[in-house]
Amino acid sequence: MPSSHVSEQTEQHETPERPQPSEQPHQPEPQPSEQPPDRGEDLAAELARIEDRYKRALADLDNYRKRAGREVERRVGEAGDALLRDWFEVVDSLERALQAHPEGPLADGLRAVLEQIEAVFARRGVTRIGAVGEPFDPERHEAIDVRTTDEVEDRTVLEVARSGFAVRDRVLRPAQVVVSRRPDHDT
């Protein structure tokens, strides 16, 4: 009979007694008049907190829109500048062709194309920078050579090897220039 004794023990452990739902102690539900008196204050504080979060979210969204708009404008400007720089190379090629054959059979056509490109540049606000006789400005010029001379002031542009271009006050490509240097009389 030992096996029956073991089965009685397992039955006792397997089926613990649980109170029936009707046997659970009954707790009365709080009545609306029994709510804590600071419930209205809690709701007002919660509403203020949510309104603050809403206003901050709106401000963050507005700032994001402005930042994204500036970023788009910047990228569009950079793309436009890159396109202009590509056209500067075309202008350089046309000018070299005209220097090599100023009176050849195609010279008039090359000059017409060059003028047309420069008219497009002018409509876009692009101007040439770097001219003989102007003072050297490292922000607008790139010195590729220095020549000693008494004929002009020190740091004057003597020759323009490659034109520079600017849009309004922003330099897109500095002019490559030859700059004067006064002879040193002390040595």
Side-chain angles (χ1 to χ4, degrees), residues 28-174:
E29 294 182 22
Q31 298 297 322
S33 63
E34 296 177 9
Q35 288 182 354
D38 61 347
R39 179 80 171 142
E41 293 173 7
D42 289 346
L43 289 175
E46 180 70 12
L47 178 62
R49 188 180 64 78
I50 290 172
E51 285 179 345
D52 182 57
R53 287 180 55 200
Y54 172 73
K55 289 177 182 176
R56 288 178 188 264
L58 279 180
D60 287 345
L61 178 61
D62 187 47
N63 289 338
Y64 170 76
R65 285 180 181 156
K66 290 176 183 175
R67 216 174 25 253
R70 286 190 303 265
E71 180 68 16
V72 166
E73 286 178 15
R74 183 184 64 80
R75 288 186 181 203
V76 166
E78 287 175 355
D81 291 353
L83 182 62
L84 286 172
R85 285 186 188 97
D86 290 342
W87 277 100
F88 298 158
E89 293 174 18
V90 173
V91 168
D92 293 342
S93 296
L94 288 171
E95 288 176 341
R96 281 192 297 271
L98 284 170
Q99 286 176 353
H101 303 287
E103 299 304 322
L106 300 177
D108 290 337
L110 291 176
R111 280 190 202 86
V113 171
L114 186 58
E115 288 173 11
Q116 188 175 15
I117 292 171
E118 289 179 350
V120 171
F121 283 173
R123 284 194 303 268
R124 302 284 181 236
V126 178
T127 57
R128 282 184 184 257
I129 55 176
V132 173
E134 69 183 16
F136 175 76
D137 180 356
E139 291 185 14
R140 300 173 62 83
H141 303 117
E142 178 183 342
I144 59 170
D145 194 13
V146 177
R147 291 190 190 145
T148 304
T149 181
D150 282 336
E151 297 173 11
V152 294
E153 290 293 317
D154 194 36
R155 300 177 49 104
T156 300
V157 174
L158 294 175
E159 181 182 326
V160 178
R162 184 185 78 180
S163 292
F165 294 93
V167 175
R168 293 169 268 308
D169 292 334
R170 190 168 39 94
V171 175
L172 295 177
R173 182 178 88 173

Side-chain angles (χ1 to χ4, degrees), residues 13-24:
H13 290 292
E14 289 177 5
T15 57
E17 293 186 28
R18 294 185 183 133
Q20 298 297 327
S22 62
E23 296 176 9
Q24 289 181 350

Side-chain angles (χ1 to χ4, degrees), residues 1-16:
M1 296 257 182
S3 63
S4 67
H5 183 267
V6 170
S7 64
E8 287 177 12
Q9 286 179 349
T10 55
E11 286 178 15
Q12 289 177 356
H13 290 292
E14 289 177 5
T15 57

